[in-house]
Structures are given as C-alpha cells and as structure tokens.
C-alpha cells in the first residue's frame, strides 16, 4: 500500500503491555506515557487503571496536550485480581462488574471514549450459564457507559490454551456480540492478531465471522508450541523464537481487515500494537521492532 496507514487507522500502543511494570496501576506511569506522547508514530494509546488520583490527573493532562486518542483497557483489573465477569457465584460476578464500572469512571477521567475487558474462566459443562452471566454483566456496563456517551468492548481471547476465557472462538464471540447489539448499540468486539493462533483460526475466518461487531484491533505475536519459551498469551516481539506471527501473518491480517472495510472508515478504528518485552528485553527496542514490522507489512498490502 502506497498511502499512509494513517488514512486507514489510528496506530496505537497498549501502554501497560509495553511497560508491564505499570500493569497493576502503579510504577513509572507518567515517565513511560511521556515517551509515547513524544512519539508521533502513535495516534492512540491504551492505558489502564492508575491508582493514584494525582498521577491520573497528570496523565490525563499529558495525553490531552499530546493530542492522542485515549483508550482504556480494563483487562488488568480482572487479570491481576482474579475477578470474573461471568462468575457463576453472583457475589463474585457483581464484584467484577463493580471494578469495571469503576473503570468506566476512570476512563472518562482520562479522556477515553470507553473501556475494553475480557471474559473470565469457565467450566465446559456449565458454559451456557457462564454465557448468561457475562450477558448480565456486559448489559449493565453498556447501560452505565451509554449514560455517559461511552462504549464497551469485549476482547476475544483464547478459550483453552492460556487465559482460557469464555469468549472464545470467533463464532461464539459473534453469537455473544449479536445478543449484545440487539439491546446495546455501544457494544463492540476487540480482535487481536496475537490471539488468532491461540484460537486456531485464520485471520480471514475470524475477521469475516466477527466483522459486523468489530470496533477495535490489536496486532502482536504469540508462541503456541507447548514447552517453548514464552508459550501462551505473553505477546512477545515479532521474530521471537518459535512464534506464530511474522510478516506474512501481519500482512494477511491487514489485507483481510482492508478487504472487509475495517480499515479506511470515516472514523478510523484504533489499531494498536500489543507487544511485551520478554525478560530483560528493552521496551523501546521492542517497540522499534514492531514499528518496522508494521511499516513493512503495510507496504506489502
């Protein structure tokens, strides 16, 4: 593709993955956000909870001055606490719902237009009960967000490999999204290239299956060979040994998204890197790797 990708998408970065020491809402949040704010490669940034109110206030001001589109990933609020939005125990489900309600308020404070989250673990013999519980939670979130002019996105994860999330393979995600859209127009799906090898699906199958509901995109890598280093949902850099996604897979993902009309919308979708340093790797070098890969893949689309 000869035209700039910025005509087709808002290129973003998942901040708390690039600097995982911030994932629990603490650490060098302002210092690392400043690096993104100064890098005009990025049009968007995805932040998560920031526990200190003053740090949150300063972060909001920094992101506003930088002119970045702000997204809010509530996944760490669940993954670091064990809360489950499809918990069959009603008290547990309500606790997960409450932290996600708080995430909506915090996202608003940071200038984000909504939140993204993920479904929790599930028991195969009670899958439909979990599905109903997740519907209950998500409808409550959409109602609360809708009153504030905000949206709610559910990220599609693996269902049996690492996170073992209820949602799930593409057809199951599409089924859930169809039920949500019937009552909540502010609901959408977040689809991540990193997760496609983990759900055993091609980009073409997954994107076409979930197409009507996709509102957000992630790109990254994964290792799905059992026993290999960084196995699972660890989001290693492109080129990591024995990993599943490289230049051909990223190029194919972008091409399918373009063919399906997800790139080039009047209001471009956010397309964010979700990459994480492995062990002692340097975050900024990992990001430089990702930028080079996107530039090359886009040139080949």
């Amino acid at each position: 593709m000869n035209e700039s990708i910025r005509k087709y998408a808002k290129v973003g970065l998942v901040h708390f993955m690039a600097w995982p020491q911030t994932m629990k809402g603490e650490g060098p949040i302002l210092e690392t956000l400043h690096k993104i704010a100064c890098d005009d490669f990025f049009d968007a940034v995805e932040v998560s909870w920031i526990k200190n109110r003053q740090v949150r206030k300063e972060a909001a001001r920094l992101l506003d001055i930088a002119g970045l589109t702000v997204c809010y990933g509530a996944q760490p609020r669940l993954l670091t606490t064990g809360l489950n939005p499809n918990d069959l125990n009603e008290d547990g489900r309500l606790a997960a719902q409450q932290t996600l309600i708080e995430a909506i308020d915090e996202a608003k404070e940071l200038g984000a237009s909504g939140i993204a989250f993920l479904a929790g673990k599930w028991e195969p013999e009670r899958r439909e009960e979990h599905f109903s519980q997740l519907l209950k939670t998500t409808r409550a979130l959409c109602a609360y967000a809708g009153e504030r002019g905000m949206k709610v996105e559910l990220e599609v994860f693996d269902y049996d490999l690492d996170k073992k999330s209820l949602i799930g393979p593409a057809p199951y995600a599409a089924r859930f999204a169809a039920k949500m859209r019937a009552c909540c127009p502010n609901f959408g799906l977040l689809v991540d290239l990193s997760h496609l090898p983990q759900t055993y699906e091609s980009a073409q199958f997954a994107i076409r299956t979930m197409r009507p509901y996709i509102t957000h995109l992630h790109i990254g890598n994964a290792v799905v060979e059992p026993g290999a280093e960084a196995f699972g949902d660890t989001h290693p850099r492109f080129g990591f040994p024995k990993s599943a996604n490289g230049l051909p897979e990223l190029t194919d993902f972008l091409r399918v998204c373009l063919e399906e009309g997800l790139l080039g919308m009047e209001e471009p979708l956010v397309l964010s890197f979700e990459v994480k340093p492995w062990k002692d790797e340097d975050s900024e070098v990992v990001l430089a790797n990702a930028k080079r890969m996107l530039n090359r893949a886009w040139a080949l689309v």
Side-chain angles (χ1 to χ4, degrees):
M1 178 67 69
N2 293 325
E3 295 178 291
S4 170
I5 193 171
R6 282 169 180 77
K7 182 177 177 181
Y8 294 86
K10 292 182 179 180
V11 179
L13 175 67
V14 180
H15 165 256
F16 54 89
M17 194 62 72
W19 284 277
Q21 61 268 44
T22 67
M23 194 173 292
K24 293 185 177 180
E26 300 164 330
I29 292 170
L30 291 175
E31 299 92 324
T32 50
L33 282 177
H34 187 269
K35 294 177 187 293
I36 301 168
C38 292
D39 188 345
D40 69 357
F41 190 90
F42 298 113
D43 308 305
V45 62
E46 302 191 27
V47 297
S48 191
W49 57 350
I50 301 175
K51 293 179 179 178
N52 184 288
R53 183 176 294 276
Q54 183 58 34
V55 173
R56 197 157 65 238
K57 183 178 178 180
E58 291 179 33
R61 182 170 184 270
L62 172 65
L63 298 174
D64 180 52
I65 293 170
L68 285 161
T69 293
V70 182
C71 306
Y72 187 103
Q75 298 91 332
R77 283 178 170 266
L78 302 175
L79 292 172
T80 65
T81 61
L83 293 172
N84 184 344
N86 46 272
D87 199 327
L88 298 182
N89 177 284
E90 188 64 7
D91 288 340
R93 188 196 69 77
L94 287 171
Q97 179 177 299
Q98 182 56 37
T99 196
L100 293 171
I101 290 288
E102 292 168 6
I104 292 170
D105 290 335
E106 193 169 302
K108 185 77 170 179
E109 188 178 342
L110 287 164
S113 61
I115 68 163
F117 75 110
L118 80 159
K121 294 187 184 300
W122 55 290
E123 304 162 52
E125 66 278 7
R126 304 184 73 180
R127 189 181 196 184
E128 290 304 296
E129 293 176 67
H130 284 286
F131 189 92
S132 296
Q133 289 291 84
L134 186 62
L135 280 174
K136 194 186 301 183
T137 300
T138 312
R139 285 169 178 159
L141 296 177
C142 285
Y144 188 83
E147 292 171 356
R148 289 150 183 79
M150 300 172 74
K151 61 187 178 182
V152 174
E153 297 170 331
L154 181 68
E155 184 170 4
V156 183
F157 273 76
D158 72 272
Y159 54 89
D160 70 351
L161 187 137
D162 186 347
K163 295 297 190 294
K164 299 179 180 179
S165 169
L166 176 66
I167 308 292
Y172 203 59
R175 177 188 163 199
F176 182 83
K179 286 189 173 292
M180 283 303 308
R181 279 281 179 86
C183 61
C184 302
N186 61 332
F187 175 81
L189 293 177
L190 192 168
V191 175
D192 188 338
L193 170 63
S194 306
H195 298 155
L196 299 187
Q198 299 177 57
T199 55
Y200 324 106
E201 295 168 316
S202 68
Q204 185 176 81
F205 175 79
I207 294 296
R208 289 182 175 175
T209 300
M210 297 182 281
R211 169 63 185 88
Y213 314 109
I214 298 172
T215 55
H216 195 147
L217 299 164
H218 280 175
I219 50 177
N221 198 6
V223 175
V224 294
E225 183 177 320
E229 188 175 20
F231 171 79
D233 189 40
T234 61
H235 293 276
R237 60 180 164 80
F238 290 106
F240 197 88
K242 299 183 179 180
S243 57
N245 291 333
L247 184 60
E249 290 77 16
L250 177 55
T251 303
D252 182 56
F253 182 80
L254 294 172
R255 184 177 292 117
V256 172
C257 287
L258 184 63
E259 290 171 351
E260 294 300 313
L262 292 170
L263 300 179
M265 290 183 171
E266 184 175 345
E267 178 57 34
L269 298 189
V270 171
L271 172 74
S272 288
F273 292 118
E274 188 167 8
V275 290
K276 181 181 179 183
W278 180 252
K279 295 185 177 178
D280 63 350
E281 292 178 347
D282 182 273
S283 294
E284 291 180 78
V285 176
V286 170
L287 292 185
N289 167 308
K291 293 176 192 177
R292 292 185 183 102
M293 183 65 73
L294 179 59
N295 285 339
R296 180 60 178 157
W298 185 247
L300 296 174
V301 170

